[in-house]
Amino acid sequence: MRVLVIGGGGREHALAWKLKQSPRVNKVFVAPGNAGTVLEDGVQNIPITTIPDLVEFAKNESIKFTVVGPEAPLAAGIVDAFRFAGLKIFGPTKQVAQLEASKDYSKAFMGRHSIPTAAYATFSDPVEAHKYLDKKGAPIVIKADGLAAGKGVEVAMTLSSAHDEVDAMLISNSMGEAGAKILIEEFLEGEEVSFIVMADGDQILPLATSQDYKRLRDGDQGPNTGGMGAYSPAPIVTSELSARIISEVIDPVMRGMAEEGQHYTGFLYAGLMIGKGGSINVLEYNCRMGDPETQPIMLRLKSDLSILVEHAIDGTLDIVEAEWDHRAALGVVMAAHGYPELPRKGDIIYGLSELMSTDKPGKDFHVFQASTKMGGKDNKEIITAGGRVLCVTALGDNLEIAQHRAYEISDKIHFDGCQMRSDIGHLVISSKPREKSL
Ligand code: AMP
Ligand code: GLY
């Protein structure tokens, strides 16, 4: 069969790489893909980005099903358009994708369905927002309502930085339309966990647990980014916590959507803050896989992803199970100079082709590419093309070994201005082993 992946980041590289491993899949198209997807056997990039053109392509090429990577096409209604044309696609509808696309909608949904989350208020008037800040004090969190590629959140440790952020979003339009409305949210402390499931409208299939590192610099310092690294499993998520997350945070979305006349299909990602005493709070819902969480999760998935996706589309997730490599996987992001504010493009990446050569049995790593393209002399070099450039992902018998291996491989790759954290995994590797989690 032929399948289509929408998107061009590291997450889509990992999804395409995994789908192509299925003996049932002879070709994976990626729209638009990147310089890494081009290099995979049986994977082909297509330079199509508009929804009507993608629908046409899927029809003409007899695409068996489509998997959507990023949030923007979901929020723009790609699932509705494909379904209207009678094409199989895995993702939520435009209406359901509001759960991610509008934080105001998402918080109101959580309120309606008693899902635990931080207290908040919504503003578009800066005067009212400043008054509220003065009443609440710091630390406090300011969030743009709309989609901002992981950069629309300011965790303000002082009141003056909170006031500055309100002015930046509501007066200087630093986030454009996405920040025309903002949420001011209670600051939560704890450990962050990404909990991702596949949903078929009624039933769910939890994926392996994971954690990502959002801050740019070591020791969780610097600005928030889309994610600087991730690993799976997340030892903090014991089987008991996992069961609580499903009943307090995932099932209510499935039930709540159904009660509101919708059905949740697609990946559902809950970004959670786990408090010291074990409290669970939702920081956000995403209607897609995480990036970079997908990269370690796909490296650990032993089951055939194409089978899981087909069951999810057909509403039969209850009859499949996902099998996971017992080893841990850890991914380290190599980001461009200037990321996240103003990533520089065009730096030549050295050392990659040797590492990217086709998969051999027993290979314990994969370099997933994100913002890369062909360029340089004779268009033969791989160059940086945006913020997050690569995610070097490796397996190991435990997280420490996976971490060591990922950094060992990343040492072989160079580009000017590369930014990368040297401590991905520190939260678990420095602490005592905990009960095994999925
Ligand atoms: P979000 O896009 O809402 O997940 O926020 C991005 C990041 O900001 C999260 O991964 C957290 O690190 C941080 N964050 C968001 N909301 C809060 C909160 N209420 N308290 C503390 N940190 C937060
Ligand atoms: N890694 C965070 C996200 O994908 O939103």
Side-chain angles (χ1 to χ4, degrees), residues 103 118 141 143 150 153 155 185-189 192 212 214-215 224 271 273 283-284:
K103 288 199 187 280
V141 183
K143 299 186 174 187
V153 174
V155 179
E185 197 175 278
E186 168 199 6
F187 172 79
L188 297 171
E189 278 181 286
E192 278 184 57
D212 84 338
K214 292 239 169 64
R215 299 296 187 117
N224 263 322
M273 188 69 91
L283 295 176
E284 63 168 347

Coordinates of all heavy atoms in Angstrom, one line a residue, residues 103 118 141 143 150 153 155 185-189 192 212 214-215 224 271 273 283-284, ligand 1:
K103 N -6.3 28.0 23.2 CA -6.2 27.6 24.6 C -7.4 28.1 25.4 O -7.8 27.4 26.4 CB -4.9 28.3 25.2 CG -3.6 27.6 24.7 CD -2.4 27.9 25.5 CE -1.1 27.4 24.9 NZ -0.9 26.0 25.1
A118 N -4.8 24.3 35.7 CA -4.6 25.5 36.5 C -5.7 26.5 36.4 O -6.3 26.6 35.3 CB -3.3 26.2 36.0
V141 N 1.8 32.6 34.8 CA 2.1 32.2 33.4 C 1.2 32.9 32.4 O 0.0 33.1 32.6 CB 1.8 30.7 33.3 CG1 2.2 30.2 31.9 CG2 2.6 29.9 34.4
K143 N -0.1 33.1 28.5 CA -0.2 32.3 27.3 C -1.0 32.9 26.2 O -2.0 33.5 26.4 CB -0.9 30.9 27.6 CG -0.2 30.1 28.6 CD -0.9 28.7 28.8 CE -0.1 27.9 29.8 NZ -0.5 26.5 29.9
G150 N 4.8 26.3 20.0 CA 5.5 26.1 21.3 C 6.2 27.3 21.9 O 6.8 27.2 22.9
V153 N 4.2 30.8 25.3 CA 4.0 30.7 26.7 C 5.2 31.4 27.5 O 6.3 31.1 27.2 CB 3.9 29.3 27.2 CG1 3.8 29.2 28.7 CG2 2.7 28.6 26.6
V155 N 6.6 31.8 31.3 CA 6.5 31.5 32.7 C 7.2 32.7 33.4 O 8.4 32.8 33.4 CB 7.1 30.2 33.0 CG1 7.0 29.9 34.5 CG2 6.4 29.1 32.2
E185 N -2.5 32.4 33.8 CA -2.7 31.1 34.4 C -1.9 31.0 35.7 O -0.7 31.4 35.7 CB -2.3 30.1 33.4 CG -2.9 28.7 33.7 CD -2.6 27.7 32.6 OE1 -3.3 27.7 31.6 OE2 -1.6 27.0 32.8
E186 N -2.5 30.3 36.7 CA -1.8 30.0 37.9 C -0.5 29.2 37.6 O -0.5 28.3 36.7 CB -2.8 29.2 38.7 CG -2.3 28.5 39.9 CD -3.2 27.3 40.4 OE1 -4.2 27.0 39.6 OE2 -3.0 26.7 41.4
F187 N 0.6 29.5 38.3 CA 1.9 28.8 38.1 C 1.8 27.4 38.9 O 1.4 27.4 40.0 CB 3.0 29.7 38.7 CG 4.3 29.0 38.7 CD1 5.1 28.9 37.6 CD2 4.8 28.5 39.9 CE1 6.3 28.2 37.6 CE2 6.1 27.9 40.0 CZ 6.8 27.7 38.8
L188 N 2.2 26.4 38.1 CA 2.1 25.1 38.8 C 3.6 24.5 38.9 O 4.4 24.7 38.0 CB 1.4 24.1 37.9 CG -0.1 24.4 37.6 CD1 -0.7 23.4 36.6 CD2 -0.9 24.2 38.9
E189 N 3.8 23.8 40.0 CA 5.1 23.2 40.1 C 5.1 21.7 40.0 O 4.0 21.2 40.3 CB 5.7 23.6 41.5 CG 6.3 25.0 41.5 CD 6.9 25.4 42.8 OE1 6.1 25.6 43.7 OE2 8.1 25.3 43.0
E192 N 7.1 17.6 34.5 CA 6.3 17.5 33.3 C 6.3 16.1 32.6 O 7.4 15.5 32.5 CB 6.7 18.5 32.3 CG 6.1 19.9 32.6 CD 6.5 20.9 31.5 OE1 6.2 20.7 30.3 OE2 7.1 21.9 31.9
D212 N 9.6 15.5 27.5 CA 10.5 16.3 26.7 C 11.0 17.5 27.5 O 10.6 17.7 28.6 CB 9.8 16.8 25.4 CG 8.9 18.0 25.6 OD1 8.5 18.3 26.8 OD2 8.7 18.7 24.6
K214 N 11.7 21.4 27.4 CA 11.3 22.5 26.6 C 12.2 23.7 26.6 O 12.2 24.5 25.7 CB 9.9 23.0 27.1 CG 8.8 22.0 26.9 CD 7.7 22.6 26.1 CE 6.6 21.6 25.6 NZ 5.9 21.0 26.6
R215 N 13.0 23.8 27.7 CA 13.8 25.0 27.8 C 15.1 24.9 26.9 O 15.6 23.8 26.7 CB 14.3 25.3 29.2 CG 13.1 25.6 30.2 CD 12.4 26.8 29.8 NE 11.4 27.2 30.8 CZ 11.4 28.3 31.5 NH1 12.4 29.1 31.4 NH2 10.5 28.5 32.4
N224 N 11.5 29.1 26.5 CA 10.8 27.8 26.0 C 11.0 27.6 24.5 O 11.0 28.6 23.8 CB 9.2 28.0 26.3 CG 8.8 27.3 27.6 OD1 9.3 26.3 27.9 ND2 7.9 28.0 28.3
G271 N -0.2 17.3 27.8 CA 1.0 17.8 28.5 C 0.6 18.0 29.9 O -0.3 18.8 30.2
M273 N 1.4 18.3 34.3 CA 2.3 18.7 35.4 C 2.0 17.7 36.6 O 0.8 17.7 37.0 CB 2.1 20.1 35.8 CG 3.2 20.6 36.8 SD 4.8 20.7 36.1 CE 4.8 22.4 35.5
L283 N -1.5 20.9 31.4 CA -0.9 22.1 31.0 C -1.5 22.5 29.6 O -1.8 23.6 29.3 CB 0.6 22.1 30.8 CG 1.4 21.8 32.1 CD1 2.8 21.6 31.8 CD2 1.2 23.0 33.1
E284 N -1.7 21.5 28.8 CA -2.2 21.7 27.4 C -2.6 20.3 26.8 O -2.1 19.3 27.2 CB -1.2 22.4 26.5 CG 0.0 21.5 26.3 CD 0.9 22.0 25.2 OE1 0.5 22.9 24.4 OE2 2.0 21.5 25.1
Ligands
AMP1 P1 2.0 24.8 27.1 O1 2.3 25.2 25.6 O2 0.7 25.4 27.6 O3 2.2 23.4 27.3 O4 3.2 25.5 27.8 C1 4.6 25.4 27.5 C2 5.4 25.1 28.7 O5 5.3 26.2 29.6 C3 5.0 23.9 29.4 O6 5.6 22.8 28.9 C4 5.5 24.2 30.8 O7 6.9 24.0 30.9 C5 5.3 25.7 30.9 N1 4.0 26.0 31.6 C6 2.8 26.1 31.0 N2 1.8 26.3 31.8 C7 2.3 26.3 33.0 C8 1.8 26.5 34.4 N3 0.5 26.8 34.6 N4 2.7 26.5 35.4 C9 4.0 26.3 35.2 N5 4.6 26.1 34.0 C10 3.8 26.1 32.9

